[in-house]
Amino acid sequence: MRDKVLHTTVVLILLSGMLLDGVKTAFCTRSHPYVYHERSHCCKFPRENFATADGAACDNGPISWSSSCCEDHQYVGCPGVTCDDYLAKGIQAAVVCNERR
């Protein structure tokens, strides 16, 4: 008789409007999908602009939470108190898979 092993995989997700550290989180819009500026703004492009005065926070590198500028100044304010990238919005539910071997 074979031993049966139960394998469980759980994928954790972000839900639109969830609370993170007590702050309601929204998502950037499809037209400006990249969050930056401590999660308060959304950029149309995945890159920073260039401003010497801001140093590494605005050196034409990849956009991130710590970026202070957006390429070509193509940004909008976050539609919530704080935001996450638009691409994360596609994950809407937890997935639990059980497999018996």
Side-chain angles (χ1 to χ4, degrees):
M1 181 177 203
R2 290 184 177 178
D3 290 332
K4 291 188 178 185
V5 179
L6 178 64
H7 296 276
T8 303
T9 304
V10 177
V11 179
L12 299 177
I13 52 103
L14 293 174
L15 295 174
S16 180
M18 74 181 285
L19 293 177
L20 292 175
D21 298 326
V23 177
K24 188 168 182 173
T25 299
F27 290 94
C28 289
T29 62
R30 184 175 183 182
S31 65
H32 293 75
Y34 305 100
V35 71
Y36 79 106
H37 206 265
E38 302 300 325
R39 299 175 60 200
S40 67
H41 290 79
C42 302
C43 185
K44 184 174 184 174
F45 305 109
R47 300 204 66 76
E48 301 168 342
N49 211 36
F50 183 78
T52 307
D54 289 346
C58 189
D59 63 0
N60 200 239
I63 200 108
S64 70
W65 288 5
S66 62
S67 299
S68 64
C69 64
C70 169
E71 186 173 25
D72 294 334
H73 307 288
Q74 296 292 311
Y75 67 90
V76 296
C78 172
V81 176
T82 61
C83 275
D84 279 319
D85 286 338
Y86 171 78
L87 299 175
K89 188 174 182 179
I91 302 172
Q92 293 290 321
V95 176
V96 178
C97 299
N98 294 318
E99 180 182 325
R100 293 186 188 270
R101 291 186 184 182

Short mmCIF file of all heavy atoms in Angstrom, two decimals, residues 16-85:
data_model
loop_
_atom_site.label_atom_id
_atom_site.label_comp_id
_atom_site.label_asym_id
_atom_site.label_seq_id
_atom_site.Cartn_x
_atom_site.Cartn_y
_atom_site.Cartn_z
N SER A 16 -8.35 44.53 -3.74
CA SER A 16 -8.64 45.95 -3.88
C SER A 16 -9.39 46.44 -2.65
O SER A 16 -10.37 45.86 -2.24
CB SER A 16 -9.47 46.19 -5.13
OG SER A 16 -9.76 47.55 -5.27
N GLY A 17 -8.91 47.51 -2.06
CA GLY A 17 -9.58 48.08 -0.90
C GLY A 17 -9.21 47.44 0.41
O GLY A 17 -9.81 47.71 1.43
N MET A 18 -8.19 46.59 0.43
CA MET A 18 -7.82 45.94 1.68
C MET A 18 -7.08 46.91 2.59
O MET A 18 -6.60 47.95 2.15
CB MET A 18 -6.96 44.71 1.42
CG MET A 18 -5.52 44.99 1.00
SD MET A 18 -4.57 43.52 0.67
CE MET A 18 -4.26 42.94 2.30
N LEU A 19 -7.01 46.59 3.86
CA LEU A 19 -6.30 47.43 4.80
C LEU A 19 -4.88 46.90 5.01
O LEU A 19 -4.68 45.74 5.31
CB LEU A 19 -7.02 47.46 6.14
CG LEU A 19 -8.38 48.15 6.15
CD1 LEU A 19 -9.02 48.03 7.54
CD2 LEU A 19 -8.26 49.60 5.77
N LEU A 20 -3.91 47.76 4.81
CA LEU A 20 -2.52 47.45 5.09
C LEU A 20 -2.05 48.42 6.15
O LEU A 20 -2.09 49.63 5.94
CB LEU A 20 -1.64 47.60 3.84
CG LEU A 20 -1.88 46.61 2.72
CD1 LEU A 20 -1.02 46.98 1.51
CD2 LEU A 20 -1.56 45.20 3.17
N ASP A 21 -1.64 47.94 7.30
CA ASP A 21 -1.22 48.80 8.41
C ASP A 21 -2.31 49.82 8.74
O ASP A 21 -2.03 50.97 9.05
CB ASP A 21 0.09 49.51 8.08
CG ASP A 21 1.23 48.55 7.86
OD1 ASP A 21 1.24 47.49 8.53
OD2 ASP A 21 2.11 48.83 7.04
N GLY A 22 -3.57 49.43 8.65
CA GLY A 22 -4.67 50.31 8.99
C GLY A 22 -4.99 51.38 7.94
O GLY A 22 -5.79 52.26 8.19
N VAL A 23 -4.36 51.32 6.77
CA VAL A 23 -4.58 52.31 5.72
C VAL A 23 -5.23 51.63 4.52
O VAL A 23 -4.75 50.60 4.06
CB VAL A 23 -3.24 52.96 5.29
CG1 VAL A 23 -3.45 53.93 4.14
CG2 VAL A 23 -2.57 53.64 6.46
N LYS A 24 -6.32 52.20 4.01
CA LYS A 24 -7.00 51.61 2.85
C LYS A 24 -6.13 51.77 1.61
O LYS A 24 -5.68 52.86 1.29
CB LYS A 24 -8.35 52.25 2.63
CG LYS A 24 -9.15 51.53 1.57
CD LYS A 24 -10.58 51.95 1.54
CE LYS A 24 -11.31 51.13 0.49
NZ LYS A 24 -12.73 51.36 0.49
N THR A 25 -5.89 50.67 0.90
CA THR A 25 -5.04 50.67 -0.28
C THR A 25 -5.90 50.52 -1.54
O THR A 25 -6.77 49.67 -1.60
CB THR A 25 -4.02 49.51 -0.21
OG1 THR A 25 -3.21 49.71 0.94
CG2 THR A 25 -3.15 49.46 -1.44
N ALA A 26 -5.61 51.35 -2.54
CA ALA A 26 -6.28 51.28 -3.83
C ALA A 26 -5.25 50.82 -4.86
O ALA A 26 -4.12 50.47 -4.51
CB ALA A 26 -6.82 52.65 -4.21
N PHE A 27 -5.63 50.80 -6.12
CA PHE A 27 -4.71 50.42 -7.18
C PHE A 27 -4.60 51.56 -8.19
O PHE A 27 -5.56 52.29 -8.43
CB PHE A 27 -5.20 49.16 -7.90
CG PHE A 27 -5.07 47.94 -7.04
CD1 PHE A 27 -6.15 47.51 -6.29
CD2 PHE A 27 -3.88 47.23 -6.98
CE1 PHE A 27 -6.03 46.38 -5.49
CE2 PHE A 27 -3.77 46.12 -6.17
CZ PHE A 27 -4.84 45.70 -5.43
N CYS A 28 -3.43 51.68 -8.79
CA CYS A 28 -3.24 52.65 -9.86
C CYS A 28 -4.17 52.28 -11.02
O CYS A 28 -4.62 51.15 -11.13
CB CYS A 28 -1.79 52.63 -10.33
SG CYS A 28 -0.64 53.34 -9.12
N THR A 29 -4.44 53.25 -11.88
CA THR A 29 -5.33 53.02 -13.01
C THR A 29 -4.59 52.32 -14.15
O THR A 29 -3.36 52.31 -14.19
CB THR A 29 -5.88 54.35 -13.53
OG1 THR A 29 -4.78 55.15 -13.99
CG2 THR A 29 -6.65 55.09 -12.44
N ARG A 30 -5.35 51.78 -15.07
CA ARG A 30 -4.77 51.09 -16.22
C ARG A 30 -3.90 52.05 -17.05
O ARG A 30 -2.87 51.66 -17.60
CB ARG A 30 -5.89 50.51 -17.07
CG ARG A 30 -5.41 49.69 -18.22
CD ARG A 30 -6.57 49.07 -18.95
NE ARG A 30 -6.10 48.23 -20.01
CZ ARG A 30 -6.87 47.58 -20.83
NH1 ARG A 30 -8.18 47.68 -20.70
NH2 ARG A 30 -6.37 46.84 -21.78
N SER A 31 -4.30 53.30 -17.15
CA SER A 31 -3.55 54.27 -17.96
C SER A 31 -2.24 54.71 -17.29
O SER A 31 -1.32 55.15 -17.97
CB SER A 31 -4.41 55.49 -18.25
OG SER A 31 -4.71 56.18 -17.05
N HIS A 32 -2.17 54.61 -15.97
CA HIS A 32 -0.97 55.00 -15.21
C HIS A 32 -0.72 53.89 -14.16
O HIS A 32 -1.03 54.07 -12.98
CB HIS A 32 -1.19 56.35 -14.53
CG HIS A 32 -1.30 57.48 -15.49
ND1 HIS A 32 -2.43 57.69 -16.24
CD2 HIS A 32 -0.40 58.43 -15.85
CE1 HIS A 32 -2.24 58.75 -17.01
NE2 HIS A 32 -1.01 59.21 -16.80
N PRO A 33 -0.20 52.74 -14.60
CA PRO A 33 -0.18 51.55 -13.75
C PRO A 33 0.93 51.43 -12.70
O PRO A 33 0.89 50.53 -11.87
CB PRO A 33 -0.03 50.41 -14.77
CG PRO A 33 0.71 51.03 -15.90
CD PRO A 33 0.23 52.45 -15.97
N TYR A 34 1.92 52.34 -12.71
CA TYR A 34 3.11 52.16 -11.87
C TYR A 34 3.10 53.09 -10.66
O TYR A 34 3.16 54.31 -10.79
CB TYR A 34 4.37 52.37 -12.68
CG TYR A 34 4.42 51.49 -13.90
CD1 TYR A 34 4.07 52.00 -15.15
CD2 TYR A 34 4.75 50.15 -13.79
CE1 TYR A 34 4.08 51.18 -16.27
CE2 TYR A 34 4.76 49.32 -14.90
CZ TYR A 34 4.42 49.85 -16.14
OH TYR A 34 4.42 49.04 -17.24
N VAL A 35 3.06 52.52 -9.47
CA VAL A 35 3.03 53.31 -8.24
C VAL A 35 4.44 53.83 -7.92
O VAL A 35 5.43 53.17 -8.19
CB VAL A 35 2.45 52.48 -7.08
CG1 VAL A 35 3.39 51.38 -6.63
CG2 VAL A 35 2.10 53.38 -5.90
N TYR A 36 4.50 55.06 -7.37
CA TYR A 36 5.79 55.65 -6.94
C TYR A 36 5.51 56.74 -5.91
O TYR A 36 4.38 56.91 -5.46
CB TYR A 36 6.57 56.19 -8.15
CG TYR A 36 6.12 57.54 -8.68
CD1 TYR A 36 6.88 58.67 -8.44
CD2 TYR A 36 4.96 57.68 -9.41
CE1 TYR A 36 6.49 59.91 -8.91
CE2 TYR A 36 4.55 58.90 -9.89
CZ TYR A 36 5.32 60.03 -9.64
OH TYR A 36 4.93 61.24 -10.11
N HIS A 37 6.53 57.46 -5.50
CA HIS A 37 6.45 58.58 -4.55
C HIS A 37 5.77 58.16 -3.25
O HIS A 37 4.76 58.71 -2.83
CB HIS A 37 5.71 59.76 -5.19
CG HIS A 37 6.10 61.07 -4.58
ND1 HIS A 37 5.38 61.65 -3.56
CD2 HIS A 37 7.14 61.89 -4.84
CE1 HIS A 37 5.94 62.79 -3.22
NE2 HIS A 37 7.02 62.96 -3.98
N GLU A 38 6.37 57.14 -2.61
CA GLU A 38 5.85 56.60 -1.35
C GLU A 38 4.39 56.15 -1.48
O GLU A 38 3.59 56.32 -0.56
CB GLU A 38 6.02 57.60 -0.21
CG GLU A 38 7.46 58.02 0.04
CD GLU A 38 8.38 56.87 0.40
OE1 GLU A 38 7.93 55.92 1.08
OE2 GLU A 38 9.56 56.92 -0.01
N ARG A 39 4.04 55.61 -2.66
CA ARG A 39 2.72 55.04 -2.96
C ARG A 39 1.61 56.08 -3.05
O ARG A 39 0.44 55.75 -2.95
CB ARG A 39 2.37 53.96 -1.93
CG ARG A 39 3.35 52.81 -1.94
CD ARG A 39 3.11 51.79 -0.88
NE ARG A 39 1.79 51.20 -1.02
CZ ARG A 39 1.16 50.56 -0.04
NH1 ARG A 39 1.73 50.43 1.12
NH2 ARG A 39 -0.03 50.05 -0.24
N SER A 40 1.96 57.36 -3.30
CA SER A 40 0.95 58.41 -3.38
C SER A 40 0.62 58.83 -4.81
O SER A 40 -0.33 59.58 -5.03
CB SER A 40 1.38 59.64 -2.59
OG SER A 40 2.51 60.24 -3.21
N HIS A 41 1.41 58.39 -5.79
CA HIS A 41 1.22 58.77 -7.19
C HIS A 41 1.37 57.55 -8.10
O HIS A 41 2.01 56.58 -7.74
CB HIS A 41 2.25 59.82 -7.60
CG HIS A 41 2.04 61.14 -6.96
ND1 HIS A 41 2.41 61.41 -5.66
CD2 HIS A 41 1.48 62.28 -7.43
CE1 HIS A 41 2.10 62.65 -5.37
NE2 HIS A 41 1.53 63.21 -6.43
N CYS A 42 0.81 57.67 -9.30
CA CYS A 42 0.88 56.61 -10.30
C CYS A 42 1.44 57.17 -11.59
O CYS A 42 1.00 58.23 -12.06
CB CYS A 42 -0.52 56.04 -10.55
SG CYS A 42 -1.31 55.38 -9.06
N CYS A 43 2.40 56.48 -12.20
CA CYS A 43 3.10 56.93 -13.38
C CYS A 43 2.67 56.13 -14.62
O CYS A 43 2.39 54.94 -14.52
CB CYS A 43 4.61 56.77 -13.17
SG CYS A 43 5.63 57.43 -14.51
N LYS A 44 2.65 56.80 -15.75
CA LYS A 44 2.30 56.15 -17.01
C LYS A 44 3.40 55.20 -17.48
O LYS A 44 3.14 54.22 -18.16
CB LYS A 44 2.04 57.20 -18.08
CG LYS A 44 1.58 56.65 -19.40
CD LYS A 44 1.21 57.78 -20.35
CE LYS A 44 0.66 57.22 -21.64
NZ LYS A 44 0.17 58.30 -22.51
N PHE A 45 4.64 55.49 -17.09
CA PHE A 45 5.81 54.73 -17.56
C PHE A 45 6.53 54.05 -16.39
O PHE A 45 6.44 54.52 -15.26
CB PHE A 45 6.78 55.65 -18.29
CG PHE A 45 6.15 56.41 -19.42
CD1 PHE A 45 5.93 57.77 -19.32
CD2 PHE A 45 5.76 55.76 -20.58
CE1 PHE A 45 5.34 58.48 -20.36
CE2 PHE A 45 5.17 56.45 -21.62
CZ PHE A 45 4.96 57.82 -21.50
N PRO A 46 7.27 52.98 -16.64
CA PRO A 46 7.98 52.28 -15.57
C PRO A 46 9.35 52.90 -15.24
O PRO A 46 10.18 52.26 -14.62
CB PRO A 46 8.14 50.86 -16.12
CG PRO A 46 8.25 51.06 -17.60
CD PRO A 46 7.33 52.22 -17.90
N ARG A 47 9.57 54.16 -15.63
CA ARG A 47 10.86 54.81 -15.40
C ARG A 47 10.67 56.18 -14.75
O ARG A 47 9.65 56.83 -14.91
CB ARG A 47 11.63 55.00 -16.70
CG ARG A 47 11.93 53.67 -17.40
CD ARG A 47 13.11 53.76 -18.32
NE ARG A 47 14.38 53.99 -17.67
CZ ARG A 47 15.09 53.08 -17.00
NH1 ARG A 47 14.63 51.86 -16.86
NH2 ARG A 47 16.24 53.38 -16.48
N GLU A 48 11.72 56.60 -14.06
CA GLU A 48 11.76 57.94 -13.49
C GLU A 48 12.12 58.95 -14.58
O GLU A 48 12.63 58.58 -15.63
CB GLU A 48 12.83 58.02 -12.40
CG GLU A 48 12.64 57.06 -11.26
CD GLU A 48 13.87 56.97 -10.37
OE1 GLU A 48 14.98 57.37 -10.78
OE2 GLU A 48 13.70 56.47 -9.26
N ASN A 49 11.89 60.21 -14.28
CA ASN A 49 12.40 61.31 -15.09
C ASN A 49 13.85 61.52 -14.66
O ASN A 49 14.43 60.65 -14.02
CB ASN A 49 11.55 62.57 -14.83
CG ASN A 49 11.46 63.47 -16.03
OD1 ASN A 49 11.40 63.00 -17.16
ND2 ASN A 49 11.40 64.76 -15.78
N PHE A 50 14.44 62.66 -14.93
CA PHE A 50 15.79 62.95 -14.46
C PHE A 50 15.85 64.34 -13.87
O PHE A 50 15.50 65.32 -14.52
CB PHE A 50 16.81 62.83 -15.60
CG PHE A 50 18.22 63.04 -15.13
CD1 PHE A 50 18.89 62.03 -14.47
CD2 PHE A 50 18.85 64.26 -15.31
CE1 PHE A 50 20.19 62.22 -14.01
CE2 PHE A 50 20.15 64.46 -14.85
CZ PHE A 50 20.81 63.44 -14.20
N ALA A 51 16.22 64.42 -12.60
CA ALA A 51 16.40 65.70 -11.91
C ALA A 51 17.61 65.57 -10.99
O ALA A 51 17.56 64.84 -10.00
CB ALA A 51 15.17 66.08 -11.12
N THR A 52 18.68 66.24 -11.33
CA THR A 52 19.94 66.13 -10.59
C THR A 52 19.75 66.40 -9.10
O THR A 52 20.33 65.71 -8.26
CB THR A 52 20.98 67.12 -11.16
OG1 THR A 52 21.08 66.90 -12.56
CG2 THR A 52 22.33 66.92 -10.52
N ALA A 53 18.92 67.36 -8.76
CA ALA A 53 18.73 67.74 -7.35
C ALA A 53 18.16 66.61 -6.50
O ALA A 53 18.39 66.56 -5.29
CB ALA A 53 17.81 68.95 -7.27
N ASP A 54 17.42 65.68 -7.09
CA ASP A 54 16.80 64.59 -6.33
C ASP A 54 17.67 63.34 -6.22
O ASP A 54 17.28 62.36 -5.57
CB ASP A 54 15.45 64.21 -6.95
CG ASP A 54 14.40 65.28 -6.72
OD1 ASP A 54 14.62 66.17 -5.87
OD2 ASP A 54 13.35 65.21 -7.37
N GLY A 55 18.84 63.33 -6.84
CA GLY A 55 19.75 62.20 -6.75
C GLY A 55 19.13 60.90 -7.26
O GLY A 55 18.45 60.88 -8.27
N ALA A 56 19.36 59.81 -6.51
CA ALA A 56 18.91 58.48 -6.93
C ALA A 56 17.39 58.35 -6.99
O ALA A 56 16.88 57.45 -7.64
CB ALA A 56 19.48 57.42 -6.00
N ALA A 57 16.66 59.26 -6.35
CA ALA A 57 15.19 59.19 -6.37
C ALA A 57 14.60 59.67 -7.69
O ALA A 57 13.41 59.50 -7.94
CB ALA A 57 14.62 60.01 -5.22
N CYS A 58 15.46 60.27 -8.54
CA CYS A 58 14.98 60.79 -9.83
C CYS A 58 16.14 60.80 -10.83
O CYS A 58 16.57 61.84 -11.31
CB CYS A 58 14.41 62.19 -9.64
SG CYS A 58 13.57 62.82 -11.10
N ASP A 59 16.67 59.60 -11.11
CA ASP A 59 17.86 59.50 -11.97
C ASP A 59 17.61 58.71 -13.26
O ASP A 59 18.50 58.12 -13.83
CB ASP A 59 19.02 58.89 -11.20
CG ASP A 59 18.76 57.47 -10.74
OD1 ASP A 59 17.65 56.92 -11.02
OD2 ASP A 59 19.64 56.88 -10.10
N ASN A 60 16.36 58.68 -13.72
CA ASN A 60 15.94 57.96 -14.91
C ASN A 60 16.04 56.45 -14.76
O ASN A 60 16.05 55.71 -15.72
CB ASN A 60 16.70 58.44 -16.16
CG ASN A 60 15.99 58.08 -17.44
OD1 ASN A 60 16.54 57.37 -18.27
ND2 ASN A 60 14.77 58.54 -17.61
N GLY A 61 16.05 55.98 -13.52
CA GLY A 61 16.08 54.54 -13.24
C GLY A 61 14.67 53.98 -13.22
O GLY A 61 13.69 54.69 -13.49
N PRO A 62 14.54 52.70 -12.89
CA PRO A 62 13.21 52.07 -12.80
C PRO A 62 12.37 52.75 -11.71
O PRO A 62 12.90 53.11 -10.65
CB PRO A 62 13.51 50.63 -12.42
CG PRO A 62 14.95 50.42 -12.76
CD PRO A 62 15.61 51.76 -12.63
N ILE A 63 11.11 52.93 -11.96
CA ILE A 63 10.22 53.57 -10.99
C ILE A 63 10.00 52.64 -9.80
O ILE A 63 9.96 51.43 -9.95
CB ILE A 63 8.88 53.98 -11.65
CG1 ILE A 63 8.18 55.06 -10.84
CG2 ILE A 63 7.97 52.81 -11.86
CD1 ILE A 63 8.22 56.40 -11.48
N SER A 64 9.93 53.21 -8.61
CA SER A 64 9.70 52.43 -7.39
C SER A 64 9.02 53.32 -6.36
O SER A 64 8.83 54.51 -6.57
CB SER A 64 11.03 51.91 -6.84
OG SER A 64 11.79 52.99 -6.32
N TRP A 65 8.67 52.74 -5.21
CA TRP A 65 8.03 53.50 -4.15
C TRP A 65 8.88 54.69 -3.74
O TRP A 65 8.35 55.73 -3.36
CB TRP A 65 7.78 52.63 -2.94
CG TRP A 65 6.70 51.61 -3.09
CD1 TRP A 65 5.97 51.31 -4.22
CD2 TRP A 65 6.20 50.76 -2.08
NE1 TRP A 65 5.07 50.32 -3.96
CE2 TRP A 65 5.19 49.95 -2.64
CE3 TRP A 65 6.51 50.58 -0.74
CZ2 TRP A 65 4.48 49.00 -1.92
CZ3 TRP A 65 5.82 49.63 -0.03
CH2 TRP A 65 4.81 48.85 -0.61
N SER A 66 10.19 54.56 -3.80
CA SER A 66 11.08 55.63 -3.35
C SER A 66 11.40 56.67 -4.43
O SER A 66 12.07 57.65 -4.16
CB SER A 66 12.38 55.04 -2.79
OG SER A 66 13.05 54.33 -3.81
N SER A 67 10.90 56.48 -5.64
CA SER A 67 11.13 57.45 -6.71
C SER A 67 10.38 58.74 -6.40
O SER A 67 9.28 58.73 -5.85
CB SER A 67 10.61 56.91 -8.05
OG SER A 67 11.28 55.73 -8.41
N SER A 68 10.99 59.87 -6.77
CA SER A 68 10.35 61.17 -6.53
C SER A 68 9.81 61.81 -7.80
O SER A 68 9.23 62.89 -7.76
CB SER A 68 11.32 62.13 -5.84
OG SER A 68 12.41 62.41 -6.71
N CYS A 69 10.01 61.16 -8.95
CA CYS A 69 9.54 61.73 -10.21
C CYS A 69 9.16 60.62 -11.19
O CYS A 69 9.55 59.48 -11.03
CB CYS A 69 10.62 62.62 -10.82
SG CYS A 69 12.11 61.73 -11.28
N CYS A 70 8.42 61.03 -12.21
CA CYS A 70 7.90 60.10 -13.21
C CYS A 70 8.33 60.58 -14.59
O CYS A 70 8.31 61.78 -14.88
CB CYS A 70 6.37 60.10 -13.10
SG CYS A 70 5.50 59.26 -14.43
N GLU A 71 8.70 59.63 -15.46
CA GLU A 71 9.16 59.96 -16.80
C GLU A 71 8.17 60.88 -17.53
O GLU A 71 6.95 60.64 -17.53
CB GLU A 71 9.37 58.69 -17.61
CG GLU A 71 9.99 58.92 -18.97
CD GLU A 71 10.35 57.63 -19.68
OE1 GLU A 71 9.74 56.59 -19.41
OE2 GLU A 71 11.25 57.69 -20.51
N ASP A 72 8.71 61.93 -18.14
CA ASP A 72 7.92 62.91 -18.90
C ASP A 72 6.80 63.56 -18.09
O ASP A 72 5.83 64.08 -18.65
CB ASP A 72 7.33 62.28 -20.17
CG ASP A 72 8.40 61.88 -21.17
OD1 ASP A 72 9.50 62.47 -21.15
OD2 ASP A 72 8.13 60.95 -21.95
N HIS A 73 6.89 63.49 -16.75
CA HIS A 73 5.88 64.09 -15.86
C HIS A 73 4.48 63.56 -16.15
O HIS A 73 3.49 64.25 -15.95
CB HIS A 73 5.91 65.62 -15.95
CG HIS A 73 7.26 66.19 -15.73
ND1 HIS A 73 7.87 66.22 -14.49
CD2 HIS A 73 8.14 66.75 -16.61
CE1 HIS A 73 9.07 66.77 -14.61
NE2 HIS A 73 9.26 67.09 -15.89
N GLN A 74 4.39 62.31 -16.58
CA GLN A 74 3.11 61.68 -16.91
C GLN A 74 2.59 60.90 -15.70
O GLN A 74 2.67 59.69 -15.64
CB GLN A 74 3.27 60.75 -18.12
CG GLN A 74 3.66 61.46 -19.38
CD GLN A 74 2.53 62.35 -19.88
OE1 GLN A 74 1.39 61.93 -19.97
NE2 GLN A 74 2.86 63.59 -20.19
N TYR A 75 2.05 61.64 -14.72
CA TYR A 75 1.58 61.00 -13.49
C TYR A 75 0.20 61.51 -13.10
O TYR A 75 -0.27 62.55 -13.58
CB TYR A 75 2.56 61.25 -12.35
CG TYR A 75 2.64 62.70 -11.92
CD1 TYR A 75 1.81 63.19 -10.92
CD2 TYR A 75 3.53 63.58 -12.53
CE1 TYR A 75 1.87 64.51 -10.53
CE2 TYR A 75 3.61 64.91 -12.14
CZ TYR A 75 2.77 65.36 -11.13
OH TYR A 75 2.83 66.68 -10.75
N VAL A 76 -0.44 60.76 -12.23
CA VAL A 76 -1.71 61.15 -11.61
C VAL A 76 -1.60 60.80 -10.13
O VAL A 76 -0.79 59.97 -9.73
CB VAL A 76 -2.94 60.43 -12.23
CG1 VAL A 76 -3.12 60.84 -13.68
CG2 VAL A 76 -2.82 58.93 -12.10
N GLY A 77 -2.43 61.44 -9.32
CA GLY A 77 -2.48 61.10 -7.90
C GLY A 77 -3.13 59.75 -7.70
O GLY A 77 -3.95 59.31 -8.51
N CYS A 78 -2.77 59.10 -6.63
CA CYS A 78 -3.37 57.81 -6.29
C CYS A 78 -4.86 58.00 -6.03
O CYS A 78 -5.24 58.95 -5.34
CB CYS A 78 -2.67 57.26 -5.05
SG CYS A 78 -3.44 55.78 -4.38
N PRO A 79 -5.72 57.11 -6.56
CA PRO A 79 -7.15 57.26 -6.32
C PRO A 79 -7.59 56.90 -4.90
O PRO A 79 -8.75 57.06 -4.55
CB PRO A 79 -7.79 56.31 -7.35
CG PRO A 79 -6.73 55.34 -7.69
CD PRO A 79 -5.42 56.05 -7.50
N GLY A 80 -6.67 56.44 -4.06
CA GLY A 80 -6.96 56.12 -2.66
C GLY A 80 -5.95 56.81 -1.77
O GLY A 80 -5.21 57.69 -2.20
N VAL A 81 -5.91 56.42 -0.51
CA VAL A 81 -4.92 56.98 0.41
C VAL A 81 -3.52 56.55 -0.01
O VAL A 81 -2.61 57.36 -0.08
CB VAL A 81 -5.22 56.55 1.86
CG1 VAL A 81 -4.15 57.06 2.81
CG2 VAL A 81 -6.59 57.05 2.29
N THR A 82 -3.36 55.28 -0.30
CA THR A 82 -2.11 54.74 -0.85
C THR A 82 -2.48 53.79 -1.99
O THR A 82 -3.60 53.32 -2.07
CB THR A 82 -1.27 53.97 0.19
OG1 THR A 82 -2.03 52.87 0.67
CG2 THR A 82 -0.84 54.86 1.34
N CYS A 83 -1.50 53.51 -2.84
CA CYS A 83 -1.76 52.65 -4.01
C CYS A 83 -0.75 51.52 -4.14
O CYS A 83 0.34 51.58 -3.59
CB CYS A 83 -1.67 53.48 -5.29
SG CYS A 83 -3.19 54.32 -5.71
N ASP A 84 -1.15 50.53 -4.92
CA ASP A 84 -0.28 49.48 -5.41
C ASP A 84 -0.37 49.50 -6.93
O ASP A 84 -1.29 50.10 -7.49
CB ASP A 84 -0.70 48.10 -4.88
CG ASP A 84 -0.19 47.85 -3.47
OD1 ASP A 84 0.97 48.21 -3.18
OD2 ASP A 84 -0.94 47.30 -2.66
N ASP A 85 0.58 48.85 -7.60
CA ASP A 85 0.58 48.79 -9.06
C ASP A 85 -0.73 48.23 -9.60
O ASP A 85 -1.30 47.32 -9.02
CB ASP A 85 1.72 47.90 -9.58
CG ASP A 85 3.09 48.55 -9.45
OD1 ASP A 85 3.16 49.79 -9.37
OD2 ASP A 85 4.08 47.81 -9.44
#
